Amino acid sequence: MTTQKGYLDMDLLRFTTAGSVDDGKSTLIGRLLYDCKSIFEDQLEAVEESSKKRGDAIVNLALLTDGLKAEREQGITIDVAYRYFATPKRKFIISDTPGHIQYTRNMVTGASTASLAIILVDARKGVIEQTCRHSFIASLLQIQHVIVAVNKMDLVDYKEEVFDQIVKDYEGFSSRLEIPHIDFIPISALHGDNVVEKSAAMPWYKGGTLLYTLEHVFIGNEHNHVDARFPVQWVIRPQSKEHHDFRGFGGRVAGGVFKKGDEITVQPSGFRSKIKGIHTFEGEVPEAFAPMSVSITLEDEIDISRGDMIVKQNNPPRVEQDIDAMICWFSESTQLQLGRKYTIRHTTREAKCIIKETKYKVDVNTLHKIEDDLEVGLNDIARISFRTSTPLLHDSYKRNRQTGSFIIVDDATNATVAAGMII
Amino acid sequence: MHTYRLTHLKALEAEAIFIMREVASQFEKPVLLFSGGKDSIVMVRLAQKAFHPAKIPFSFMHVDTGHNFPETIEFRDKLVKEVGANLIVRTVQESIDKGRATEEKGPQASRNMLQTVTLLDALEEFQFTAAIGGARRDEEKARAKERFFSHRNEFGQWDPKNQRPELWNLFNGNMHMAEHFRIFPLSNWTEMDVWQYIKMEELSLPSVYFSHEREVIHRNGIYLANSEYLTLGKDEFVENMVVRCRTVGDMTCTGVVASPASNVDDIIAEVAAARVTERGGRTDDKRSETAMEDRKKDGYF
């Protein structure tokens, strides 16, 4: 059956959307969901009814993504909302983050799991401060692919010159960022131009529609397949008659490829062994790569527990306690305190850490370094150095998003107060 | 060239297995909420995969309204036996008998809301620190804001405006005494993903999910299965229809849909063409615009 083959062979693409207030982001998402038949009649009816109640003149598609009472009442989005749609080629997960100035935190969260970012630009306003900020965050989070969607082309008479100028302005500042692939697409989310269907109003645009681009973007490079990294999550010991001697290390491959027979080292102990088997519920598999969840058995009996990392002998991670990183501060109620102890969560490892120094903060709008004000509070992005109670088995975030990222937890409140990327 | 690629179902599966193992590692005493519905059946399979060849390292619990499709309970008991799990059942009836909850009155009465009391009491009774549930973000707008690891305060309440951000693969399950977490491994799954996974894994399901003839009554635009728990209103009557359940819950508030779909392939085709959400047939969500959010804040699933 062809339909069967279809859904058993679809990709998964996670993307995030960023735009400033009134860029038409909710309309765009509503349009994508609607045109891909992922909005249902009862949802639409509910939105129509709420729009009427609020006195909106048109059906407000933003209400589809704003799920909480406070959001609907105040017309704002509080934090990241997740939306889903699929075409026969791919399933998409959208992390939709609000565009308000104070919400750097939310975009960092949404971007952390995304392989692609759509950045909306209002054709009438062009590249503005917030466009720079969103692009900087996408670059900081190492998103490999950005689509700059120039929206509201209908309001500038679908003029090619307007679009070309925005492309030129954007390329002007994005050359300072690290985004390997940037696509520009002129659209009208409201009228559907170049979203799912090609626009008849912009014959000068020869590229693909937004949906076509989302369906065809290369996503094979979203995981590191070079440096073999297996953070041990859970030790599987059946202790049953049948599997008496089974001792498997459960985890999710965070990088590289593991094969039966590979010579490995366990960090941080340094013990060496060979992979005896890679196991799944369905049976043994010849190899495992990111982001597969498997369990690994070894030839030798060595002491391994959660937080340890299985790596290949010729390619170790960094094993260090003094680390430099870029962080984004998430807490509304507390600022970063130098010298204070925090808990750090990195891969499956937990440690204590002390922040030794704030080196500088980054002005997310201008990308300038701030060195005269080093107070780190909500939404600030800063470069810090810290020391951990036990070594972190890590790579730079640029090399591996899984082994290069961490969160900081405040022990008093248990809140996640910062997200970090190791330099 | 060799390409390293997972299909969307395998990627969702790998993520859910990761969550299952993370729960076992981070929490002292987790429990898997198991109703015998399709989402909880998928969760059982994912838990098996996460810990294979060992047994699933947590108990199952069913919060039972007493208004069940008998087929579901039969199926529940069979599956529990198959996987060798320990099943705890706590009933809304007990909560009512103990005076912890009061039965709703009138023809629209439902025990759906009362489940919250039973659930919270049971979590306290067994000192569970994490309850794994099958809720998905695509189900309902308030659930779209949920986390994989969702914090509950000492009263079991959810504070949607003050949730912990979740980044990368890093989940923060740190908590104070008497608090707990709700864990949702299927957060990123849609109804379609669940059915496709059931097909891929060849999972068996309670028969109510497939087309059968049943007595129904029409109420508020929804067909409810006739049962001893329903009181007929004025102008309401019992009729026979060929139906199936899109979701399985309390019989008094879970609608059935007219459908000839008699196998998983048919259902996948039906879901692909559906123009109404899965919970569109749930009268519990229709009580107000924020019915789900309000219940969730109080500690509902």
Side-chain angles (χ1 to χ4, degrees):
Chain A
M1 243 174 85
T2 50
T3 53
Q4 248 182 62
K5 175 87 180 75
Y7 65 71
L8 290 177
D9 196 33
M10 280 161 58
D11 292 319
L12 176 64
L13 174 64
R14 297 170 199 250
F15 68 92
T16 185
T17 53
S20 45
V21 184
D22 298 330
D23 272 348
K25 188 158 56 71
S26 298
T27 315
L28 175 65
I29 291 173
R31 168 65 63 183
L32 274 173
L33 297 179
Y34 188 78
D35 286 358
C36 293
K37 300 193 166 42
S38 292
I39 290 177
F40 297 95
E41 279 166 11
D42 52 328
Q43 286 175 314
L44 207 57
E45 272 167 31
V47 166
E48 275 168 4
E49 199 151 296
S50 321
S51 299
K52 240 188 272 163
K53 245 191 246 167
R54 290 159 42 103
D56 294 342
I58 51 162
V59 174
N60 188 347
L61 285 177
L63 293 176
L64 273 170
T65 47
D66 295 338
L68 301 174
K69 200 186 283 182
E71 295 174 313
R72 296 157 89 83
E73 281 166 7
Q74 296 161 34
I76 54 155
T77 310
I78 287 172
D79 64 10
V80 190
Y82 296 88
R83 295 282 148 191
Y84 306 87
F85 70 100
T87 68
K89 282 193 167 46
R90 281 183 178 167
K91 172 190 164 101
F92 298 96
I93 301 179
I94 314 176
S95 53
D96 179 25
T97 57
H100 317 285
I101 290 168
Q102 66 272 37
Y103 282 148
T104 297
R105 169 177 84 169
N106 294 330
M107 184 169 168
V108 169
T109 304
S112 73
T113 51
S115 314
L116 177 147
I118 297 177
I119 294 177
L120 270 115
V121 175
D122 186 327
R124 296 168 305 172
K125 296 182 197 153
V127 173
I128 56 172
E129 211 175 74
Q130 295 185 40
T131 317
C132 303
R133 176 170 60 223
H134 296 145
S135 305
F136 169 67
I137 295 171
S139 157
L140 181 72
L141 272 289
Q142 291 288 310
I143 289 186
Q144 298 295 302
H145 204 125
V146 163
I147 297 176
V148 179
V150 181
N151 191 24
K152 305 198 182 181
M153 286 300 293
D154 52 314
L155 299 182
V156 296
D157 299 326
Y158 298 106
K159 276 195 200 129
E160 189 176 5
E161 306 88 82
V162 176
F163 178 70
D164 286 347
Q165 186 60 48
I166 291 173
V167 172
K168 213 174 125 201
D169 291 348
Y170 190 90
E171 283 176 337
F173 91 88
S174 68
S175 57
R176 292 149 64 201
L177 301 172
E178 293 174 64
I179 303 172
H181 308 284
I182 305 176
D183 283 313
F184 298 90
I185 307 176
I187 65 166
S188 163
L190 189 66
H191 299 290
D193 294 276
N194 289 334
V195 178
V196 173
E197 303 291 337
K198 268 199 94 79
S199 169
M202 292 178 275
W204 48 265
Y205 173 70
K206 306 293 181 211
T209 63
L210 182 63
L211 184 66
Y212 180 90
T213 309
L214 290 172
E215 279 187 315
H216 291 87
V217 157
F218 177 66
I219 50 175
N221 57 354
E222 64 183 322
H223 296 282
N224 173 321
H225 292 310
V226 178
D227 312 305
R229 303 283 183 263
F230 189 80
V232 174
Q233 205 185 352
W234 174 260
V235 182
I236 299 171
R237 264 169 307 194
Q239 289 165 332
S240 62
K241 248 192 236 149
E242 214 185 327
H243 303 282
H244 188 70
D245 293 327
F246 188 92
R247 192 171 145 82
F249 304 102
R252 199 172 183 192
V253 181
V257 183
F258 289 90
K259 291 191 173 76
K260 191 173 173 157
D262 277 350
E263 306 207 324
I264 59 92
T265 307
V266 180
Q267 295 289 359
S269 67
F271 287 130
R272 297 180 164 211
S273 185
K274 260 189 187 176
I275 294 183
K276 188 174 171 188
I278 300 172
H279 309 261
T280 70
F281 182 73
E282 287 78 19
E284 277 199 46
V285 291
E287 60 179 15
F289 53 89
M292 283 170 71
S293 284
V294 296
S295 61
I296 289 179
T297 48
L298 300 177
E299 294 285 0
D300 307 281
E301 253 193 51
I302 41 183
D303 181 33
I304 300 179
S305 50
R306 176 176 165 86
D308 292 350
M309 191 183 276
I310 297 174
V311 303
K312 282 206 205 156
Q313 283 180 10
N314 55 3
N315 181 353
R318 297 186 207 153
V319 182
E320 291 161 1
Q321 281 174 272
D322 290 294
I323 294 166
D324 267 32
M326 297 299 292
I327 58 161
C328 176
W329 196 254
F330 279 35
S331 171
E332 282 168 35
S333 49
T334 59
Q335 291 197 322
L336 172 79
Q337 284 174 270
L338 296 184
R340 186 178 154 183
K341 288 186 195 69
Y342 293 95
T343 291
I344 189 164
R345 280 185 180 275
H346 170 260
T347 63
T348 54
R349 209 170 171 77
E350 216 182 305
K352 297 284 173 203
C353 73
I354 295 178
I355 318 291
K356 292 191 303 193
E357 188 190 355
T358 304
K359 299 203 161 150
Y360 57 83
K361 290 200 292 185
V362 180
D363 181 325
V364 290
N365 298 319
T366 61
L367 308 191
H368 290 147
K369 283 183 190 174
I370 305 169
E371 282 162 318
D372 52 353
D373 164 22
L374 296 176
E375 298 270 297
V376 179
L378 179 62
N379 292 313
D380 281 339
I381 288 175
R383 177 166 174 165
I384 59 163
S385 45
F386 58 92
R387 182 171 175 83
T388 54
S389 57
T390 166
L392 297 190
L393 319 168
H394 64 277
D395 297 284
S396 73
Y397 184 75
K398 273 184 197 162
R399 189 144 183 108
N400 188 321
R401 288 175 90 181
Q402 301 310 324
T403 55
S405 54
F406 62 87
I407 56 172
I408 296 176
V409 177
D410 185 322
D411 292 320
T413 59
N414 291 327
T416 301
V417 290
M421 289 141 280
I422 298 170
I423 289 168
Chain B
M1 203 192 93
H2 195 99
T3 54
Y4 297 110
R5 150 179 193 272
L6 290 184
T7 63
H8 82 294
L9 286 179
K10 287 307 247 181
L12 290 173
E13 178 188 73
E15 177 181 76
I17 291 174
F18 178 84
I19 297 292
M20 290 286 181
R21 289 171 172 168
E22 208 55 20
V23 176
S25 308
Q26 287 199 34
F27 298 96
E28 237 168 81
K29 205 174 171 194
V31 65
L32 186 126
L33 299 176
F34 181 68
S35 64
K38 67 178 193 314
D39 301 303
S40 61
I41 291 166
V42 166
M43 288 218 299
V44 169
R45 172 51 57 92
L46 293 165
Q48 282 181 295
K49 290 197 176 196
F51 304 106
H52 176 81
K55 274 194 187 172
I56 298 169
F58 23 79
S59 297
F60 294 8
M61 182 162 77
H62 183 205
V63 176
D64 183 357
T65 64
H67 299 163
N68 301 296
F69 290 94
E71 299 91 328
T72 315
I73 296 302
E74 213 176 282
F75 187 92
R76 177 196 76 184
D77 294 339
K78 206 181 93 203
L79 187 64
V80 164
K81 214 166 150 195
E82 254 174 49
V83 302
N86 167 43
L87 175 73
I88 297 164
V89 180
R90 283 294 173 272
T91 66
V92 171
Q93 188 61 51
E94 280 174 272
S95 302
I96 293 169
D97 294 345
K98 284 186 201 153
R100 297 277 301 127
T102 314
E103 191 99 73
E104 290 183 0
K105 303 278 188 316
Q108 307 276 352
S110 159
R111 287 180 164 182
N112 186 288
M113 298 267 279
L114 310 186
Q115 286 180 98
T116 303
V117 176
T118 313
L119 171 65
L120 292 179
D121 284 355
L123 294 177
E124 204 174 303
E125 178 188 347
F126 294 96
Q127 304 279 299
F128 288 126
T129 50
I132 310 165
R136 310 188 317 265
R137 288 178 184 146
D138 80 319
E139 277 182 88
E140 208 282 335
K141 55 190 184 292
R143 283 190 170 162
K145 297 276 163 166
E146 265 292 6
R147 300 293 191 259
F148 280 91
F149 275 37
S150 185
H151 179 256
R152 294 292 184 275
N153 67 14
E154 65 269 43
F155 301 102
Q157 291 168 321
W158 183 51
D159 181 2
K161 283 204 271 184
N162 196 16
Q163 302 197 73
R164 293 180 189 174
E166 289 182 340
L167 297 105
W168 301 290
N169 270 336
L170 299 166
F171 297 94
N172 172 5
N174 295 18
M175 64 184 178
H176 292 115
M177 289 283 287
E179 297 176 344
H180 75 271
F181 270 79
R182 301 289 171 85
I183 313 286
F184 303 111
L186 304 183
S187 287
N188 280 332
W189 297 49
T190 61
E191 182 188 14
M192 186 54 131
D193 298 326
V194 168
W195 281 108
Q196 290 172 352
Y197 191 75
I198 288 168
K199 168 79 185 168
M200 187 174 87
E201 293 292 313
E202 298 173 344
L203 299 178
S204 34
L205 294 179
S207 56
V208 288
Y209 280 110
F210 302 101
S211 184
H212 58 283
E213 197 175 323
R214 182 178 284 275
E215 288 187 350
V216 297
I217 68 160
H218 193 232
R219 179 180 289 175
N220 301 334
I222 291 166
Y223 286 100
L224 293 173
N226 187 32
S227 68
E228 55 183 304
Y229 318 117
L230 279 188
T231 317
L232 279 190
K234 226 176 76 189
D235 305 328
E236 285 181 344
F237 55 90
V238 176
E239 56 192 304
N240 266 311
M241 261 173 73
V242 174
V243 296
R244 68 173 198 90
C245 292
R246 235 176 124 182
T247 68
V248 168
D250 186 292
M251 285 186 89
T252 62
C253 66
T254 314
V256 295
V257 291
S259 166
S262 58
N263 59 49
V264 177
D265 282 328
D266 289 354
I267 292 174
I268 289 173
E270 197 177 280
V271 171
R275 296 312 298 143
V276 177
T277 58
E278 197 182 19
R279 295 191 74 92
R282 299 284 292 236
T283 58
D284 46 336
D285 293 346
K286 296 203 166 188
R287 288 190 172 186
S288 82
E289 195 183 346
T290 54
M292 174 65 91
E293 181 182 344
D294 297 340
R295 273 179 295 156
K296 278 182 67 68
K297 280 180 180 164
D298 288 336
Y300 186 71
F301 306 108

